[in-house]
Amino acid sequence: MIAYYLIAVNLTAFAAYVRDKHLAETGGRRISENTLLGLAFIGGSPGAWAAMRLARHKTRKTSFQTSFRALLALQIVLLVAASTERGRAFLTLLV
């Protein structure tokens, strides 16, 4: 079930980033940065990263890149923590 969720959220994030790039090029109403970062936050960071690289979107905006990289770092730390017994114990204290 988690795999289906991750596939769906990553496809959604990828599509949103590509769509925002298209809207930026055509002058349409853009997808907010908070929405784009929110999709990455809920598990779509691999799809978001792939779209940023393939579509060359949001790669030069420093503030966005800083937020995205901080989010990735946090997700990596949480994944590493969740993979160890001590890390899982620590994470349960946080929740």
Side-chain angles (χ1 to χ4, degrees), residues 3-80:
Y4 292 126
Y5 169 79
L6 289 174
I7 290 169
V9 76
N10 277 282
L11 287 174
T12 302
F14 185 89
Y17 277 71
V18 170
R19 176 81 175 137
D20 189 53
K21 172 69 172 188
H22 173 73
L23 293 170
E25 292 173 337
T26 60
R29 183 179 164 112
R30 306 280 304 278
I31 299 170
S32 75
E33 288 186 357
N34 285 338
T35 299
L36 295 174
L37 288 170
L39 287 167
F41 178 76
I42 62 170
S45 51
W49 181 83
M52 285 193 304
R53 296 299 171 248
L54 292 173
R56 294 189 183 133
H57 187 49
K58 297 287 187 187
T59 57
R60 291 187 297 180
K61 188 163 186 186
T62 306
S63 62
F64 187 86
Q65 282 296 307
T66 301
S67 297
F68 188 79
R69 288 177 182 156
L71 175 63
L72 277 178
L74 173 64
Q75 288 176 334
I76 290 168
V77 167
L78 291 174
L79 280 173
V80 169

